[in-house]
Amino acid sequence: MRVDIVPIGDVPATVKREASSGLRRVYDCEVSVAAAQDVPEDAYDSGRRQYRAEPFIEVARRAGGGGKNVAVTPVDLFYRQRNYVFGLAYLDGRGCVVSTHRLQTSSDGGFSQRSASDIFADRVRKEVVHEIGHTLGLEHCDNNRCAMSFSPQVTQVDRKEETLCGSCQRLVL
Ligand SMILES: [Zn+2]
Ligand SMILES: [Zn+2]
């Protein structure tokens, strides 16, 4: 499998690196990073001050290669009625997007001695693994340690691991 990471907007090198390493660790895939793309300004909703998520997937589809494409962007995304999303995937398999915007939110768990940058890096890997999992046909998993568990808030992202549980693995590997 080939995965193209498509940066949209100003994506730091560390984020590209974490996304690549998370994908390589979990999936049997070749990962490349495409050239940075412009933020699709027509996706901006001035009332919400957020961007619609779907056009970012379209940009990634156009800019990526022939395999799976994952857009990564620092801007804040929403989808339909949800206040925000960490990511979104098309079920037809070809594209998905991850926004790092809300992954920088500090968790109120107070559980960790780890630095904010390490926690952020973990979240980026988990969410990229999650969205690519959807493009491979995986649905949300009931195991809250699995990267495919539904995690609408950072506390849930922090609780899960960056790998797939055994049953999700068997479906895709
Ligand atoms: Zn999901
Ligand atoms: Zn699972």
Side-chain angles (χ1 to χ4, degrees), residues 140-150 160 164-167:
H140 287 149
C141 180
D142 292 337
N143 179 341
N144 66 15
R145 312 286 295 182
C146 174
M148 288 313 296
S149 68
F150 180 52
K160 68 185 182 180
L164 302 176
C165 73
S167 26

Side-chain angles (χ1 to χ4, degrees), residues 103-173:
L103 297 179
Q104 327 222 31
T105 313
S106 66
S107 167
D108 56 5
F111 59 93
S112 179
Q113 316 281 328
R114 306 184 61 230
S115 75
S117 63
D118 284 350
I119 293 170
F120 174 65
D122 287 353
R123 291 170 178 170
V124 169
R125 291 195 302 274
K126 291 171 186 181
E127 290 310 294
V128 169
V129 166
H130 181 100
E131 296 306 336
I132 286 290
H134 281 315
T135 72
L136 292 168
L138 292 178
E139 294 177 8
H140 287 149
C141 180
D142 292 337
N143 179 341
N144 66 15
R145 312 286 295 182
C146 174
M148 288 313 296
S149 68
F150 180 52
S151 51
Q153 291 164 345
V154 287
T155 48
Q156 292 146 325
V157 177
D158 292 341
R159 190 180 54 202
K160 68 185 182 180
E161 289 167 12
E162 60 187 84
T163 52
L164 302 176
C165 73
S167 26
C168 288
Q169 262 180 42
R170 277 190 292 280
L171 292 170
V172 296
L173 298 179

Side-chain angles (χ1 to χ4, degrees), residues 48 78-85:
R48 300 182 59 129
F78 73 96
Y79 178 63
R80 296 191 179 165
Q81 305 311 319
R82 292 175 56 191
N83 287 339
Y84 65 87
V85 290

Side-chain angles (χ1 to χ4, degrees), residues 23-77:
L23 290 170
R24 283 200 193 93
R25 182 171 166 202
V26 171
Y27 301 107
D28 181 18
C29 63
E30 276 179 50
V31 182
S32 44
V33 179
Q37 304 293 309
D38 291 334
V39 171
E41 289 303 334
D42 54 355
Y44 188 66
D45 183 314
S46 53
R48 300 182 59 129
R49 300 185 181 191
Q50 290 175 300
Y51 290 82
R52 283 184 297 116
E54 300 98 310
F56 288 73
I57 301 179
E58 296 303 334
V59 170
R61 285 177 111 138
R62 284 196 296 272
K68 303 287 182 192
N69 303 308
V70 53
V72 178
T73 186
V75 307
D76 195 16
L77 301 180

